[in-house]
Amino acid sequence: MVNDDMKRALSLFTIIIIIITTSVFPFLFLQTSPTLVSVTTGTGTGTGTGILRETWNRTFTAYRNYNDTSYAVQQTADGGYILVGVVQYSDKSSDALLVKTSSSGEQTWAKTFGGVSHDQAYAVQQTSDGGYILAGITFSPGNGLDAWLVKTDSNGNELWDRTFGHSDQDWAYAVQQTSDGGYILAGATLSYGAGSEDAWLVKTDSEGNELWNMTFGGVEYDEARAVQLTPDGGYILAGVTLSYGAGKKDAWLVKTDSEGNELWNMTFGGASSDAALAVQLTPDGGYILAGVTLSYGAGNEDAWLVKTDSKGNELWNMTFGGASNDEAWAVQPTPDDGYLFTGRTGSYGAGNADAWLFKTDSGGEELWNMTFGGTGYDDSRAIQQTADGGYILAGSTFSFSSDSSSDFWLIKLGITITNISFDTGSGYGTYPSISGIHKGVIIPRQDMHISKLYTYPCTGTGGHTESIALYEDDDSEPIATGIWKGYHSHSDWHNITLYDAATGTPGIRLLKGHQYRYVISTGSYPQIIHKREHKTLDGSTIKCIEFKDVNGKVYHDWIPAFRFYS
């Protein structure tokens, strides 16, 4: 689990008198090349298809050679963004870090909060007065590690801070402003409750004064990682429990009334360790949880979504990932009744770990996924849909940092309507990938006119398609063909023009629901989707019949990543 190592380290700390300070400092910026993936902008006949485009990305560092990790982001009322996280000076010293940007990601101001020991912020929200509320932890004199609430004005100047806890360790992982102007915090406590560590809910007034606190759990370790307000005036908590459930650790969902009294709780998981790291309300009155599972899936840790009804009864759960560790840290329902989660993947992408963005339909089936990063360690811990219909991601990056340490990382994605008609999606970039002949079937979701094929190459390669032929089901003669023109300065070598075999003119019309066979000859290193069948971004279907590589070896789960467009 995230922060387990930190908790063990903090238990050894010597109590140090904290002197609270605030500082302002310059930041460094980095912008890398855009990433593209196509997305549908609606459902049904006549809806558009668009490019989800990396509009920009920015990195921020407090001081060179110190690690900076961003945990949360929110779009602000002025169209800009507020980020919060940690600048780590040493194993025993860190500050909370708050960064405000413009709508284009340029820094407006930045502040740190903390003293000479450990101070960290995990959550931020813009408040009704235009300021900000931060929640996290502080190592304070006399009380050890306490939950921490910091209120600032609109320029990040501290107005007050409050601590919550007693003689043992206590954490705040999430905060929301409530309808009465106060705040609700969710986290964990070793100072109170029934067990070794209990989930913890703290309600305050508008000045951060505690009104009540409630604990949840049994004799083992239990914690809340996320909280949301519910329409009935109560709260929904998500986290992890060792006291209840089927396995070593189970994902946990707890519903309370407006006074924090438990109404019900549900666990999810198998025989191993599972956790919920985020929860959101869904339009049907239920809940969507995002987290990690070791009980299910393909690899070590897999990203995990769990959908429930309004009473917490599981409707479905889905895992996502490969042979390595993959995690979902934040989730958001989307306007098409699907879900979007972000996190970290070790199975896919370019580096040791990459930031990951994953889109599903209403039943949790994959529609597309994207990775962001370089050869180092990169992640994304927060996501929000922005006012322009795009998305903002926040995390940390080693690959694109200003030095050898990690930096805050902010990625803006925007949607541009295009005439793309069929797209497998990109971001796979997985090896092995080799030249050979792909044979398969595509079934369009809607009528479409196509005249170009674009091949997604593996990062840093010249991956491309050398030829394509399309057939109407079992016809022996192709209805369209295309030939690669080579690596020429006057030619876009990623693209191939398709010609109608009957007329010789560019372009062909494909009909909704018809089966079309493809024979595609790829050069070295196109991106490969290692599946027998794949749902494309526009809802069409592509199936692999066989792939024979240049050495004569045959596979049945290799689909080339490409898009058709006009």
Side-chain angles (χ1 to χ4, degrees):
M1 284 293 299
V2 179
N3 291 323
D4 284 348
D5 291 338
M6 183 193 75
K7 292 176 186 178
R8 287 191 289 270
L10 286 171
S11 67
L12 303 176
F13 283 177
T14 302
I15 295 173
I16 301 173
I17 295 177
I18 305 288
I19 302 173
I20 302 296
T21 61
T22 302
S23 63
V24 184
F25 39 81
F27 275 67
L28 301 177
F29 294 90
L30 177 72
Q31 183 168 359
T32 58
S33 58
T35 300
L36 306 179
V37 66
S38 69
V39 298
T40 54
T41 59
T43 57
T45 304
T47 58
T49 302
I51 288 288
L52 187 61
R53 182 186 301 272
E54 182 185 311
T55 310
W56 48 259
N57 80 74
R58 305 281 189 262
T59 63
F60 308 86
T61 183
Y63 306 102
R64 291 184 65 84
N65 301 315
Y66 293 120
N67 286 324
D68 308 284
T69 303
S70 177
Y71 289 101
V73 65
Q74 186 187 34
Q75 188 170 36
T76 51
D78 62 1
Y81 304 98
I82 191 76
L83 297 87
V84 78
V86 178
V87 52
Q88 190 85 31
Y89 305 120
S90 71
D91 290 342
K92 295 185 178 181
S93 179
S94 61
D95 278 349
L97 176 58
L98 187 67
V99 180
K100 176 68 175 70
T101 80
S102 66
S103 59
S104 59
E106 300 294 337
Q107 178 196 316
T108 305
W109 50 258
K111 303 289 179 72
T112 60
F113 305 87
V116 294
S117 191
H118 246 295
D119 308 285
Q120 304 190 355
Y122 303 125
V124 66
Q125 187 181 40
Q126 188 169 36
T127 50
S128 56
D129 62 0
Y132 305 98
I133 193 74
L134 290 69
I137 58 169
T138 181
F139 197 71
S140 59
N143 287 330
L145 185 71
D146 279 355
W148 193 29
L149 194 63
V150 181
K151 179 68 174 73
T152 80
D153 63 16
S154 60
N155 293 314
N157 300 305
E158 183 180 319
L159 300 178
W160 50 257
D161 79 301
R162 304 282 186 265
T163 60
F164 307 89
H166 196 51
S167 57
D168 216 321
Q169 298 180 23
D170 310 285
W171 298 264
Y173 291 123
V175 65
Q176 297 283 337
Q177 188 171 32
T178 52
S179 59
D180 61 0
Y183 305 99
I184 192 76
L185 290 81
T189 176
L190 283 166
S191 297
Y192 311 112
S196 299
E197 177 185 298
D198 275 12
W200 199 26
L201 195 63
V202 180
K203 178 69 175 74
T204 80
D205 63 17
S206 60
E207 295 297 317
N209 301 303
E210 182 180 321
L211 299 178
W212 51 258
N213 82 84
M214 301 292 281
T215 60
F216 310 87
V219 296
E220 295 292 341
Y221 283 86
D222 311 289
E223 66 179 21
R225 299 304 303 263
V227 64
Q228 299 291 341
L229 283 62
T230 54
D232 62 0
Y235 307 100
I236 191 77
L237 290 75
V240 61
T241 177
L242 277 75
S243 297
Y244 313 118
K248 296 177 182 178
K249 295 180 181 179
D250 272 17
W252 197 25
L253 191 64
V254 181
K255 179 69 177 75
T256 81
D257 63 16
S258 61
E259 298 297 320
N261 300 300
E262 181 181 322
L263 300 179
W264 50 258
N265 81 86
M266 294 289 189
T267 61
F268 310 89
S272 192
S273 294
D274 313 289
L277 303 179
V279 64
Q280 294 286 346
L281 281 68
T282 54
D284 62 0
Y287 306 99
I288 186 76
L289 289 79
V292 295
T293 177
L294 281 166
S295 297
Y296 314 117
N300 293 319
E301 271 188 352
D302 272 15
W304 193 32
L305 290 185
V306 180
K307 178 68 179 74
T308 80
D309 64 15
S310 61
K311 299 297 184 182
N313 300 300
E314 181 179 319
L315 301 179
W316 52 257
N317 81 85
M318 300 290 283
T319 62
F320 310 89
S324 191
N325 288 327
D326 308 288
E327 300 163 345
W329 284 340
V331 65
Q332 185 173 76
T334 52
D336 61 358
D337 295 327
Y339 304 98
L340 198 63
F341 74 77
T342 193
R344 172 180 64 188
T345 176
S347 298
Y348 313 115
N352 294 326
D354 274 15
W356 202 20
L357 184 63
F358 208 106
K359 179 69 173 70
T360 80
D361 63 15
S362 60
E365 296 287 346
E366 177 187 342
L367 294 180
W368 52 261
N369 79 89
M370 303 171 69
T371 61
F372 307 85
T375 57
Y377 178 97
D378 312 292
D379 63 42
S380 172
R381 295 173 182 261
I383 184 171
Q384 186 189 26
Q385 186 163 31
T386 50
D388 61 2
Y391 297 93
I392 192 75
L393 308 179
S396 57
T397 177
F398 277 91
S399 297
F400 307 125
S401 73
S402 55
D403 48 49
S404 58
S405 59
S406 66
D407 284 357
F408 270 30
W409 199 20
L410 190 65
I411 304 171
K412 179 64 175 71
L413 304 174
I415 295 178
T416 304
I417 301 300
T418 70
N419 55 359
I420 290 175
S421 301
F422 177 101
D423 197 330
T424 64
S426 67
Y428 300 96
T430 52
Y431 295 89
S433 175
I434 191 172
S435 59
I437 305 296
H438 296 264
K439 295 181 180 181
V441 172
I442 63 172
I443 306 172
R445 178 173 179 252
Q446 58 189 2
D447 293 354
M448 59 181 67
H449 183 273
I450 61 172
S451 61
K452 296 277 189 179
L453 177 145
Y454 172 86
T455 302
Y456 292 108
C458 290
T459 303
T461 74
H464 62 277
T465 291
E466 295 186 342
S467 67
I468 179 173
L470 288 177
Y471 299 82
E472 176 79 52
D473 202 6
D474 293 327
D475 287 354
S476 59
E477 296 297 323
I479 60 172
T481 59
I483 302 293
W484 185 53
K485 295 184 180 295
Y487 294 113
H488 300 301
S489 59
H490 62 275
S491 170
D492 181 358
W493 51 269
H494 286 301
N495 292 291
I496 287 180
T497 299
L498 282 82
Y499 294 91
D500 187 315
T503 65
T505 57
I508 189 73
R509 184 171 180 79
L510 304 183
L511 301 179
K512 174 183 176 180
H514 283 225
Q515 291 197 66
Y516 299 92
R517 289 187 298 114
Y518 65 81
V519 178
I520 294 175
S521 174
T522 56
S524 297
Y525 305 121
Q527 291 187 25
I528 298 296
I529 304 164
H530 292 285
K531 295 181 179 179
R532 290 178 178 268
E533 182 174 328
H534 177 67
K535 189 71 70 174
T536 65
L537 304 184
D538 59 296
S540 299
T541 300
I542 183 169
K543 300 178 181 180
C544 173
I545 295 175
E546 73 165 38
F547 168 67
K548 182 180 288 188
D549 71 21
V550 68
N551 299 313
K553 189 171 182 178
V554 175
Y555 306 83
H556 299 285
D557 59 352
W558 284 48
I559 296 173
F562 66 90
R563 67 177 184 252
F564 288 131
Y565 65 105
S566 294

